[in-house]
Amino acid sequence: MWLLVLTPVGDGRRSQSHHFGNNDHKSIYKALESLNSKNKPIDVITVSNEMKVMGTLESIGGSYSLVKIQDYNLFSNLESHCYLVLEEYLK
């Protein structure tokens, strides 16, 4: 599911870390990008570990915060959410 966040939306645009207004979300996205660039699997454990290596895990509230985010059913409307992030960024 996490890898879907890195997938371009319908018009080919893809979110980037600087598009996020929330620093916690920026940190999570940077960890996703880092894992993806290394062709490593992306799941709550690998993201948690990558954030620990990057020194950002505790700033978002630790692994528990990642688990809470994963529990939300955000992925069913992922494309709409990506557009919202981009629209907010472009304001």
Side-chain angles (χ1 to χ4, degrees), residues 3-4 7-8 10 13 16 18 20 22 25-26 31-32 34 39 46 48 53 59-61 73 75 78-79 82 87-88:
L3 188 56
L4 292 174
T7 304
R13 293 184 293 172
Q16 297 178 11
H18 67 272
F20 294 91
N22 180 302
H25 297 167
K26 284 180 188 179
L32 293 172
S34 177
N39 292 318
T46 59
S48 179
V53 169
S59 70
I60 67 151
N73 190 14
F75 298 101
L78 182 63
E79 188 167 350
C82 289
E87 286 174 10
E88 193 63 32

Side-chain angles (χ1 to χ4, degrees), residues 23-24 27-28 30-31 47-48 50-62:
N23 286 332
D24 291 352
S27 296
I28 294 166
K30 286 178 182 179
V47 172
S48 179
E50 188 70 12
M51 291 186 77
K52 186 185 293 185
V53 169
M54 297 169 79
T56 57
L57 181 62
E58 293 309 313
S59 70
I60 67 151

